[in-house]
Amino acid sequence: MNAHPIERHFARIGARARLSAGAHRRLRTNGVSIDIGRDGDGEFFDVALASPTPAELIVLDVQPASRHLLLMATDGTGKHKFLCGRDERHWFVAAVPETRSASTVETAMEALKPDVVRSEQTRRSVKPRLRNRRRNEAFVRQGEWFFVPLPLGTKVNESVILRNERLQRGAGKPHIVDELVRDGGQAVYVSKAYPNGLTPREYMKLISRRPELRSIGWVIQRRNPRAFVRGKVRHPDHKTIKLDDWRLVVMNTETESAAMQHVAFID
């Protein structure tokens, strides 16, 4: 049987892709969802199409050398783009915000950078060929997290340093940092069932309706705080990095996309 054209494009970057009916994965639009699946042969891109009106899939750009491609899904809600590729040890898929222009792999990578990262690249005159490296003068990157030099005049309160703390987006695997200082953010109640957190008002409303949920292991954390880190940053899917001085932590722009808009930075 001939492979689907989309599968052939993925093969050009050295990846496998499987198309199936029934969108149900975490990167979700009305017409398509994409995740990384695993079987006896390793990882593959699991592309699930909704029925009876699946999205139309178009590959906009393929870069075999860097092992990345840009996929666009068109459905009743508009056009949604996904950067698919290889990052260190594993394949990944990232939803590109619909409000940011992207037509190539390179422009999709830029679209996934928060404004503070792009401003820092410009301020430090980082050459285009160095802008997508995991370490340059403007930032150090590990997965979806960017660590950028502190804004001018920023003071870190070293009297409240937390050690071996977690950086986590939604229910994803946490990144563990040697030293972390939080600043601001919103207090939320977090549990395995509610990884993005509930505000105190939402929590009390839930418990009043379902008092049995009071005992499911809630902890109070901060949603979308400013966070400063120093030292080693560890994650099982990435090479450990070391930050010799304090850095501001910023997350990529993926949560601005329709597919990921309900995922939060919980720390």
Side-chain angles (χ1 to χ4, degrees):
M1 181 181 294
N2 292 332
H4 189 282
I6 296 297
E7 295 173 348
R8 292 199 292 270
H9 283 299
F10 276 94
R12 291 179 60 196
I13 66 170
R16 293 183 298 138
R18 292 183 184 173
L19 276 68
S20 61
H24 60 281
R25 302 296 184 184
R26 67 179 180 90
L27 288 178
R28 183 181 303 169
T29 71
N30 286 350
V32 65
S33 61
I34 308 172
D35 201 359
I36 305 300
R38 292 170 180 81
D39 61 16
D41 294 321
E43 296 179 330
F44 62 92
F45 286 88
D46 185 0
V47 182
L49 301 175
S51 57
T53 55
E56 179 185 3
L57 300 180
I58 303 170
V59 174
L60 299 177
D61 186 30
V62 183
Q63 295 296 325
S66 65
R67 307 183 76 181
H68 287 77
L69 65 77
L70 182 62
L71 179 67
M72 182 172 73
T74 304
D75 61 19
T77 65
K79 298 178 180 179
H80 311 282
K81 298 173 184 177
F82 302 91
L83 180 64
C84 304
R86 188 81 176 181
D87 188 21
E88 295 186 79
R89 303 168 185 169
H90 297 278
W91 295 106
F92 76 92
V93 55
V96 180
E98 288 78 7
T99 57
R100 295 182 176 232
S101 176
S103 59
T104 65
V105 166
E106 182 177 358
T107 54
M109 289 180 172
E110 287 299 308
L112 284 165
K113 294 175 183 176
D115 290 340
V116 65
V117 169
R118 298 205 285 183
S119 295
E120 195 69 11
Q121 287 181 159
T122 300
R123 190 175 75 84
R124 294 176 178 266
S125 301
V126 178
K127 296 179 180 179
R129 65 182 176 82
L130 302 177
R131 290 190 171 190
N132 289 319
R133 291 190 176 182
R134 284 187 282 274
R135 182 185 290 266
N136 58 42
E137 290 186 10
F139 62 82
V140 179
R141 181 179 67 81
Q142 188 183 74
E144 67 268 39
W145 300 104
F146 292 87
F147 306 94
V148 299
L150 297 186
L152 188 64
T154 302
K155 301 292 184 183
V156 177
N157 184 0
E158 297 194 12
S159 67
V160 292
I161 292 176
L162 300 168
R163 304 186 189 282
N164 296 315
E165 282 291 291
R166 297 152 62 103
L167 285 175
Q168 189 167 7
R169 181 183 67 177
K173 298 177 186 177
H175 297 241
I176 306 300
V177 301
D178 280 352
E179 296 180 309
L180 181 144
V181 172
R182 297 188 183 98
D183 179 24
Q186 180 184 33
V188 290
Y189 289 79
V190 177
S191 70
K192 288 185 178 180
Y194 297 88
N196 291 329
L198 300 176
T199 65
R201 182 176 181 178
E202 292 169 336
Y203 171 78
M204 294 305 297
K205 185 176 181 180
L206 175 69
I207 297 303
S208 68
R209 295 197 327 263
R210 301 184 60 189
E212 73 276 9
L213 295 181
R214 190 185 301 272
S215 60
I216 64 172
W218 298 92
V219 295
I220 297 178
Q221 292 182 275
R222 310 295 298 184
R223 178 189 286 163
N224 296 327
R226 276 209 313 175
F228 308 101
V229 301
R230 183 173 65 183
K232 293 180 180 179
V233 185
R234 303 177 297 280
H235 189 277
D237 295 341
H238 301 282
K239 182 180 178 180
T240 296
I241 62 175
K242 185 177 180 182
L243 307 171
D244 294 326
D245 50 10
W246 287 108
R247 294 285 183 120
L248 173 67
V249 182
V250 287
M251 187 169 58
N252 73 14
T253 62
E254 190 176 1
T255 55
E256 298 175 16
S257 69
M260 293 286 285
Q261 62 186 345
H262 300 300
V263 176
F265 170 21
I266 298 294
D267 180 38

